[in-house]
Amino acid sequence: MKENIVQQKSFQFAIRIINFYKYLVADKKEFVLSKQIFRSGTSIGANIEESIGGQSDKDFLSKISISYKEARETIYGLKLLKETNYIKSEEFESLFYDAEEICKILGSIQIAIKKN
């Protein structure tokens, strides 16, 4: 089976988000934004998985687009946590970089599909 980079990256990102959520709840006692980031951050990969099983190009594009939106939402939540001092710049940078990378890949996929 061919290696699917965005599938792998989104899965690894989801694992990081789950661990980040556990840290925010246990150590920072943050229960609202952490839950939202948990949902959006794990939804990226879930929608990519659904896109792989898509029944048509339109279905595939729809799920990829949802993944892109969830990644953007995750980035927004990370920025809020950083600016409200729940996380340090170092904690933010690593997750932000990964989310941005996934966004770029998903954006490229959307462009390629729309061209066809």
Side-chain angles (χ1 to χ4, degrees), residues 13 40-41 44 65-79 96 99-104 106 110:
F13 185 71
S40 62
I44 300 165
S65 296
I66 292 168
S67 290
Y68 178 82
K69 291 175 188 177
E70 295 290 346
R72 299 294 326 156
E73 183 177 333
T74 303
I75 288 169
Y76 181 74
L78 290 169
K79 287 178 180 179
F96 175 79
E100 278 283 302
E101 184 179 24
I102 291 168
C103 277
K104 288 176 185 173
L106 292 170
Q110 288 178 83

Side-chain angles (χ1 to χ4, degrees), residues 7-40:
Q7 183 183 29
Q8 291 175 350
K9 286 185 180 293
S10 64
F11 183 77
Q12 290 304 314
F13 185 71
I15 291 169
R16 292 190 66 205
I17 288 293
I18 291 167
N19 289 326
F20 183 57
Y21 169 78
K22 291 192 283 188
Y23 160 75
L24 286 172
V25 170
D27 293 6
K28 299 293 185 174
K29 306 298 184 220
E30 200 298 313
F31 302 101
V32 179
L33 285 173
S34 58
K35 186 167 276 191
Q36 188 58 39
I37 287 175
F38 177 88
R39 287 182 181 143
S40 62

